[in-house]
Amino acid sequence: QVQLVESGGGSVQAGGSLRLVCAHSGSISRTYCMGWFRQAPGKRREGVAAIDSFGDRSYADSVKGRFTISKDNAKNTLSLQMNSLKPEDTAMYYCAADTGRRVCGATWALLDSYWGQGTQVTVSS
């Protein structure tokens, strides 16, 4: 059973930083594509970033240069460092894992197998 537990959300002012961490069971990040998604009220869920078993990273255009996804296989964690936060980054952030693929590829934003409960990020102007 795959378990994903997010932490690190909170409230910050625009320009601030937060680091989200997803603790996961087993060796998921070593083996499969994992990513971060977000969903703001009234909006569709969107992919933020992904990293696969080979360490290749993908980012949404809206966060490139500001967010960094990383993983620690020894600690079984997936992280998202978010810098220069903007009010439009406000959303519930979810950790996800796709046990059907080792490589995230061009369709990384469609990864879907397991999801965490989410952690809220609120950025005020």
Side-chain angles (χ1 to χ4, degrees):
Q1 181 72 17
V2 174
Q3 293 184 329
L4 305 171
V5 180
E6 303 96 334
S7 62
S11 298
V12 296
Q13 291 190 326
S17 298
L18 283 173
R19 184 177 182 85
L20 305 183
V21 177
C22 172
H24 60 78
S25 55
S27 59
I28 300 170
S29 60
R30 187 180 298 115
T31 309
Y32 302 113
C33 173
M34 294 190 70
W36 288 95
F37 289 72
R38 65 187 181 188
Q39 187 168 21
K43 295 187 177 182
R44 296 180 63 180
R45 186 180 66 198
E46 63 174 351
V48 176
I51 185 168
D52 65 23
S53 60
F54 301 99
D56 290 336
R57 297 169 170 82
S58 302
Y59 294 95
D61 288 342
S62 59
V63 306
K64 282 181 180 177
R66 300 189 298 123
F67 291 11
T68 302
I69 189 171
S70 61
K71 60 179 180 174
D72 188 327
N73 292 335
K75 295 182 179 179
N76 288 347
T77 57
L78 177 75
S79 298
L80 184 69
Q81 178 66 43
M82 304 186 295
N83 299 328
S84 302
L85 283 161
K86 304 176 181 179
E88 51 263 44
D89 294 319
T90 295
M92 184 70 80
Y93 283 71
Y94 298 91
C95 173
D98 194 326
T99 56
R101 57 170 99 185
R102 292 180 61 90
V103 176
C104 296
T107 59
W108 66 271
L110 299 177
L111 76 87
D112 187 17
S113 287
Y114 297 93
W115 296 84
Q117 294 299 306
T119 185
Q120 178 67 38
V121 172
T122 303
V123 185
S124 57
S125 58

Coordinates of all heavy atoms in Angstrom, one line a residue, residues 32-92:
Y32 N 9.7 5.1 -9.4 CA 8.7 5.6 -10.2 C 8.7 7.2 -10.4 O 9.4 7.9 -9.7 CB 7.3 5.2 -9.6 CG 7.2 3.8 -9.4 CD1 7.1 3.2 -8.1 CD2 7.1 2.9 -10.5 CE1 7.0 1.8 -8.0 CE2 6.9 1.6 -10.4 CZ 6.9 1.0 -9.1 OH 6.7 -0.3 -8.9
C33 N 7.9 7.6 -11.2 CA 7.6 9.0 -11.5 C 6.8 9.6 -10.3 O 5.8 9.0 -10.0 CB 6.9 9.2 -12.8 SG 6.4 10.9 -13.1
M34 N 7.2 10.7 -9.7 CA 6.5 11.3 -8.7 C 6.4 12.8 -9.0 O 7.2 13.4 -9.7 CB 7.2 11.2 -7.3 CG 7.2 9.7 -6.8 SD 7.7 9.6 -5.1 CE 6.3 10.3 -4.2
G35 N 5.4 13.5 -8.4 CA 5.2 14.9 -8.7 C 4.4 15.6 -7.7 O 3.9 15.0 -6.7
W36 N 4.3 16.9 -7.9 CA 3.5 17.8 -7.1 C 2.5 18.5 -8.0 O 2.8 18.9 -9.1 CB 4.4 18.9 -6.5 CG 5.3 18.5 -5.4 CD1 6.6 18.1 -5.5 CD2 4.9 18.3 -4.0 NE1 7.1 17.7 -4.3 CE2 6.0 17.8 -3.3 CE3 3.7 18.5 -3.3 CZ2 6.1 17.6 -2.0 CZ3 3.7 18.3 -1.9 CH2 4.9 17.8 -1.3
F37 N 1.3 18.5 -7.5 CA 0.1 19.1 -8.2 C -0.5 20.2 -7.2 O -0.3 20.1 -6.0 CB -0.9 18.1 -8.6 CG -0.4 17.2 -9.7 CD1 0.6 16.2 -9.4 CD2 -1.0 17.3 -10.9 CE1 1.0 15.4 -10.5 CE2 -0.5 16.5 -12.0 CZ 0.5 15.5 -11.7
R38 N -1.3 21.0 -7.8 CA -2.0 22.0 -7.0 C -3.4 22.2 -7.5 O -3.6 22.1 -8.7 CB -1.2 23.3 -6.8 CG -1.1 24.1 -8.1 CD -0.2 25.3 -7.9 NE 0.0 26.1 -9.1 CZ 0.9 27.1 -9.2 NH1 1.7 27.4 -8.2 NH2 0.9 27.8 -10.4
Q39 N -4.3 22.7 -6.6 CA -5.6 23.0 -7.0 C -6.1 24.2 -6.2 O -6.2 24.1 -5.0 CB -6.6 21.8 -6.9 CG -8.0 22.1 -7.5 CD -8.8 20.8 -7.6 OE1 -8.5 19.8 -6.9 NE2 -9.8 20.8 -8.4
A40 N -6.4 25.2 -6.9 CA -7.0 26.4 -6.3 C -8.5 26.3 -6.3 O -9.1 25.6 -7.2 CB -6.5 27.7 -7.0
P41 N -9.2 27.0 -5.4 CA -10.7 27.0 -5.4 C -11.3 27.4 -6.7 O -10.9 28.4 -7.3 CB -11.0 28.0 -4.3 CG -9.9 28.0 -3.4 CD -8.7 27.8 -4.3
G42 N -12.2 26.6 -7.3 CA -12.8 26.9 -8.5 C -12.0 26.6 -9.8 O -12.4 26.9 -10.9
K43 N -10.8 26.0 -9.6 CA -9.9 25.8 -10.7 C -9.6 24.3 -10.8 O -9.8 23.5 -9.9 CB -8.6 26.6 -10.6 CG -8.8 28.1 -10.7 CD -7.5 28.8 -10.7 CE -7.7 30.3 -10.9 NZ -6.4 31.0 -11.0
R44 N -9.2 23.9 -12.0 CA -8.8 22.5 -12.2 C -7.4 22.2 -11.6 O -6.6 23.1 -11.4 CB -8.7 22.2 -13.7 CG -10.1 22.3 -14.4 CD -9.9 22.0 -15.9 NE -9.5 20.7 -16.1 CZ -9.3 20.1 -17.4 NH1 -9.4 20.9 -18.4 NH2 -8.9 18.9 -17.5
R45 N -7.2 21.0 -11.2 CA -5.9 20.6 -10.7 C -4.9 20.7 -11.8 O -5.1 20.4 -13.0 CB -6.0 19.1 -10.2 CG -4.7 18.7 -9.5 CD -4.9 17.2 -9.1 NE -5.1 16.3 -10.2 CZ -5.6 15.1 -10.2 NH1 -6.0 14.7 -9.0 NH2 -5.7 14.4 -11.2
E46 N -3.7 21.2 -11.5 CA -2.6 21.3 -12.5 C -1.3 20.8 -11.9 O -1.1 20.8 -10.7 CB -2.5 22.8 -12.8 CG -2.0 23.7 -11.7 CD -1.7 25.1 -12.1 OE1 -1.7 25.4 -13.4 OE2 -1.5 26.0 -11.3
G47 N -0.5 20.3 -12.9 CA 0.8 19.8 -12.5 C 1.7 20.9 -12.2 O 1.7 21.9 -12.9
V48 N 2.5 20.8 -11.2 CA 3.5 21.8 -10.8 C 4.9 21.3 -11.2 O 5.6 22.1 -11.9 CB 3.5 22.1 -9.3 CG1 4.6 23.1 -8.9 CG2 2.1 22.6 -8.9
A49 N 5.3 20.1 -10.8 CA 6.6 19.6 -11.1 C 6.6 18.1 -11.0 O 5.8 17.6 -10.2 CB 7.7 20.3 -10.2
A50 N 7.6 17.5 -11.6 CA 7.7 16.0 -11.5 C 9.1 15.6 -11.6 O 9.9 16.3 -12.2 CB 6.8 15.3 -12.6
I51 N 9.4 14.4 -11.0 CA 10.8 13.9 -11.1 C 10.7 12.4 -11.2 O 9.8 11.8 -10.6 CB 11.6 14.3 -9.9 CG1 13.1 13.8 -10.0 CG2 11.0 13.8 -8.6 CD1 14.0 14.5 -9.0
D52 N 11.5 11.8 -12.1 CA 11.3 10.4 -12.3 C 12.5 9.6 -11.7 O 13.3 10.1 -11.0 CB 11.2 10.0 -13.8 CG 12.4 10.4 -14.6 OD1 13.5 10.4 -14.1 OD2 12.3 10.6 -15.8
S53 N 12.5 8.3 -11.9 CA 13.4 7.4 -11.3 C 14.9 7.7 -11.7 O 15.8 7.4 -10.9 CB 13.1 5.9 -11.6 OG 13.2 5.7 -13.0
F54 N 15.0 8.4 -12.8 CA 16.4 8.7 -13.3 C 16.8 10.1 -12.8 O 17.9 10.6 -13.1 CB 16.5 8.6 -14.8 CG 16.1 7.3 -15.3 CD1 14.9 7.0 -15.8 CD2 17.1 6.3 -15.3 CE1 14.6 5.7 -16.3 CE2 16.8 5.0 -15.7 CZ 15.5 4.7 -16.2
G55 N 15.9 10.8 -12.1 CA 16.2 12.2 -11.7 C 15.9 13.3 -12.6 O 16.2 14.4 -12.4
D56 N 15.3 12.9 -13.8 CA 14.9 14.0 -14.7 C 13.7 14.7 -14.2 O 12.7 14.1 -13.7 CB 14.5 13.3 -16.1 CG 15.7 12.8 -16.8 OD1 16.9 13.2 -16.5 OD2 15.6 11.8 -17.6
R57 N 13.7 16.1 -14.3 CA 12.7 16.9 -13.8 C 11.9 17.6 -14.9 O 12.4 17.9 -15.9 CB 13.4 18.0 -12.9 CG 14.1 17.4 -11.7 CD 14.9 18.5 -11.0 NE 15.5 18.1 -9.7 CZ 16.5 17.4 -9.6 NH1 17.2 17.0 -10.6 NH2 17.0 17.1 -8.3
S58 N 10.7 17.9 -14.5 CA 9.8 18.6 -15.4 C 9.0 19.7 -14.6 O 8.7 19.4 -13.4 CB 8.7 17.7 -16.1 OG 9.4 16.7 -16.8
Y59 N 8.8 20.8 -15.2 CA 8.1 21.9 -14.5 C 7.0 22.6 -15.3 O 7.2 22.7 -16.5 CB 9.1 23.0 -14.1 CG 10.2 22.6 -13.1 CD1 11.4 22.1 -13.5 CD2 9.9 22.6 -11.7 CE1 12.4 21.7 -12.6 CE2 10.9 22.2 -10.8 CZ 12.1 21.8 -11.2 OH 13.1 21.4 -10.3
A60 N 6.0 23.0 -14.6 CA 5.0 23.9 -15.3 C 5.7 25.2 -15.6 O 6.6 25.7 -14.9 CB 3.8 24.1 -14.4
D61 N 5.3 25.8 -16.7 CA 5.9 27.1 -17.1 C 5.8 28.2 -16.1 O 6.7 29.0 -15.9 CB 5.3 27.6 -18.4 CG 5.8 26.8 -19.6 OD1 6.8 26.0 -19.5 OD2 5.1 26.8 -20.7
S62 N 4.7 28.1 -15.4 CA 4.4 29.1 -14.4 C 5.3 29.1 -13.2 O 5.4 30.1 -12.4 CB 2.9 29.0 -13.9 OG 2.7 27.7 -13.3
V63 N 6.0 28.0 -13.0 CA 6.9 27.9 -11.8 C 8.4 27.7 -12.1 O 9.2 27.7 -11.2 CB 6.4 26.7 -10.9 CG1 5.0 26.9 -10.5 CG2 6.7 25.4 -11.5
K64 N 8.7 27.7 -13.4 CA 10.1 27.5 -13.8 C 10.9 28.6 -13.3 O 10.6 29.8 -13.4 CB 10.2 27.4 -15.3 CG 9.8 26.1 -15.9 CD 10.0 26.0 -17.4 CE 9.6 24.7 -18.0 NZ 9.6 24.7 -19.5
G65 N 12.1 28.3 -12.7 CA 13.0 29.3 -12.2 C 12.7 29.7 -10.7 O 13.5 30.4 -10.1
R66 N 11.5 29.3 -10.2 CA 11.1 29.6 -8.9 C 11.0 28.4 -8.0 O 11.3 28.5 -6.8 CB 9.8 30.4 -8.9 CG 9.8 31.7 -9.7 CD 8.5 32.5 -9.4 NE 7.3 31.7 -9.9 CZ 6.3 31.4 -9.1 NH1 6.3 31.8 -7.8 NH2 5.2 30.8 -9.6
F67 N 10.5 27.3 -8.5 CA 10.3 26.1 -7.8 C 11.4 25.0 -8.2 O 11.8 25.0 -9.3 CB 9.0 25.5 -8.0 CG 7.8 26.3 -7.5 CD1 8.0 27.6 -7.0 CD2 6.5 25.7 -7.5 CE1 6.9 28.3 -6.5 CE2 5.4 26.4 -7.0 CZ 5.6 27.7 -6.5
T68 N 11.8 24.2 -7.2 CA 12.7 23.1 -7.5 C 12.2 21.8 -6.8 O 11.9 21.8 -5.6 CB 14.1 23.4 -6.9 OG1 14.6 24.6 -7.5 CG2 15.1 22.3 -7.2
I69 N 12.0 20.8 -7.6 CA 11.6 19.5 -7.1 C 12.9 18.6 -6.8 O 13.8 18.7 -7.6 CB 10.6 18.8 -8.0 CG1 10.0 17.6 -7.4 CG2 11.3 18.5 -9.4 CD1 8.9 16.9 -8.2
S70 N 12.9 17.9 -5.7 CA 14.0 17.0 -5.4 C 13.5 15.8 -4.7 O 12.3 15.8 -4.2 CB 15.0 17.8 -4.6 OG 14.5 18.2 -3.4
K71 N 14.3 14.8 -4.6 CA 14.0 13.6 -3.8 C 15.2 13.1 -3.0 O 16.3 13.3 -3.4 CB 13.4 12.5 -4.7 CG 14.4 12.1 -5.8 CD 13.8 11.0 -6.6 CE 14.8 10.5 -7.7 NZ 14.3 9.4 -8.5
D72 N 14.9 12.5 -1.9 CA 15.9 11.9 -1.1 C 15.5 10.4 -1.0 O 14.7 10.1 -0.2 CB 16.0 12.6 0.3 CG 17.2 12.1 1.1 OD1 17.5 10.9 1.0 OD2 17.7 12.9 1.9
N73 N 16.2 9.6 -1.7 CA 15.8 8.2 -1.8 C 16.1 7.5 -0.4 O 15.4 6.5 0.0 CB 16.5 7.4 -2.9 CG 16.0 7.9 -4.3 OD1 14.9 8.3 -4.4 ND2 16.9 7.7 -5.2
A74 N 17.1 7.9 0.3 CA 17.5 7.3 1.5 C 16.4 7.6 2.6 O 16.2 6.8 3.5 CB 18.8 7.8 2.0
K75 N 15.8 8.8 2.5 CA 14.9 9.2 3.5 C 13.4 9.0 3.1 O 12.5 9.3 3.8 CB 15.0 10.7 3.9 CG 16.4 11.0 4.5 CD 16.5 12.5 4.9 CE 17.8 12.8 5.6 NZ 17.9 14.2 6.0
N76 N 13.3 8.5 1.8 CA 11.9 8.3 1.3 C 11.1 9.6 1.3 O 9.9 9.6 1.8 CB 11.2 7.2 2.0 CG 11.7 5.8 1.7 OD1 12.5 5.7 0.7 ND2 11.4 4.8 2.5
T77 N 11.7 10.6 0.8 CA 10.9 11.9 0.8 C 11.0 12.6 -0.6 O 12.0 12.4 -1.3 CB 11.4 12.9 1.8 OG1 12.8 13.1 1.6 CG2 11.2 12.4 3.2
L78 N 10.0 13.3 -0.9 CA 10.0 14.1 -2.1 C 9.7 15.6 -1.7 O 8.9 15.8 -0.8 CB 8.8 13.7 -3.0 CG 8.6 14.5 -4.3 CD1 9.6 14.2 -5.3 CD2 7.2 14.2 -4.9
S79 N 10.5 16.5 -2.2 CA 10.4 17.9 -1.7 C 10.1 18.8 -2.9 O 10.4 18.5 -4.0 CB 11.7 18.3 -1.1 OG 12.0 17.5 0.1
L80 N 9.5 20.0 -2.5 CA 9.3 21.1 -3.4 C 9.7 22.4 -2.8 O 9.0 22.8 -1.8 CB 7.8 21.1 -3.9 CG 7.5 22.2 -5.0 CD1 8.2 21.8 -6.3 CD2 6.0 22.4 -5.1
Q81 N 10.8 22.9 -3.2 CA 11.3 24.2 -2.7 C 10.6 25.3 -3.5 O 10.8 25.3 -4.8 CB 12.8 24.3 -2.8 CG 13.4 25.6 -2.3 CD 13.1 25.9 -0.8 OE1 13.3 25.0 0.0 NE2 12.7 27.1 -0.5
M82 N 9.9 26.2 -2.9 CA 9.2 27.2 -3.6 C 9.7 28.6 -3.2 O 9.6 29.0 -2.0 CB 7.7 27.1 -3.3 CG 7.1 25.7 -3.6 SD 5.3 25.7 -3.3 CE 5.2 26.0 -1.6
N83 N 10.3 29.3 -4.1 CA 10.8 30.6 -3.8 C 10.1 31.7 -4.6 O 9.3 31.3 -5.6 CB 12.3 30.7 -4.2 CG 13.2 29.7 -3.4 OD1 12.9 29.4 -2.2 ND2 14.2 29.2 -4.0
S84 N 10.2 32.9 -4.3 CA 9.6 34.0 -5.0 C 8.1 33.7 -5.1 O 7.5 33.9 -6.2 CB 10.2 34.3 -6.3 OG 11.6 34.5 -6.2
L85 N 7.4 33.3 -4.1 CA 6.0 33.0 -4.2 C 5.1 34.2 -4.5 O 5.4 35.3 -4.2 CB 5.6 32.4 -2.9 CG 6.0 30.9 -2.6 CD1 5.9 30.5 -1.2 CD2 5.2 30.0 -3.5
K86 N 4.1 33.9 -5.3 CA 3.2 34.9 -5.8 C 1.8 34.5 -5.3 O 1.5 33.3 -5.0 CB 3.1 34.9 -7.3 CG 4.5 35.1 -7.9 CD 4.4 35.0 -9.5 CE 5.7 35.2 -10.1 NZ 5.6 35.1 -11.6
P87 N 0.9 35.5 -5.2 CA -0.5 35.2 -4.7 C -1.2 34.1 -5.6 O -2.0 33.3 -5.1 CB -1.2 36.5 -4.9 CG -0.1 37.5 -4.6 CD 1.1 36.9 -5.3
E88 N -0.8 34.1 -6.9 CA -1.4 33.0 -7.7 C -0.9 31.6 -7.5 O -1.4 30.7 -8.1 CB -1.2 33.4 -9.2 CG 0.2 33.7 -9.6 CD 0.5 35.2 -9.6 OE1 0.0 35.9 -8.6 OE2 1.1 35.7 -10.5
D89 N 0.1 31.5 -6.6 CA 0.5 30.2 -6.2 C -0.3 29.6 -5.1 O -0.2 28.4 -4.7 CB 2.0 30.2 -5.7 CG 3.0 30.6 -6.8 OD1 2.8 30.1 -7.9 OD2 3.9 31.4 -6.5
T90 N -1.3 30.4 -4.6 CA -2.1 29.9 -3.5 C -3.0 28.8 -4.0 O -3.7 28.9 -5.0 CB -3.1 31.1 -3.0 OG1 -2.3 32.1 -2.4 CG2 -4.1 30.6 -2.0
A91 N -2.9 27.6 -3.2 CA -3.7 26.4 -3.6 C -3.4 25.4 -2.6 O -2.6 25.5 -1.7 CB -3.2 26.0 -5.0
M92 N -4.2 24.3 -2.8 CA -3.8 23.0 -2.0 C -2.8 22.3 -2.9 O -3.1 22.1 -4.1 CB -5.1 22.2 -1.8 CG -4.9 21.0 -1.0 SD -4.6 21.4 0.7 CE -6.3 21.7 1.3

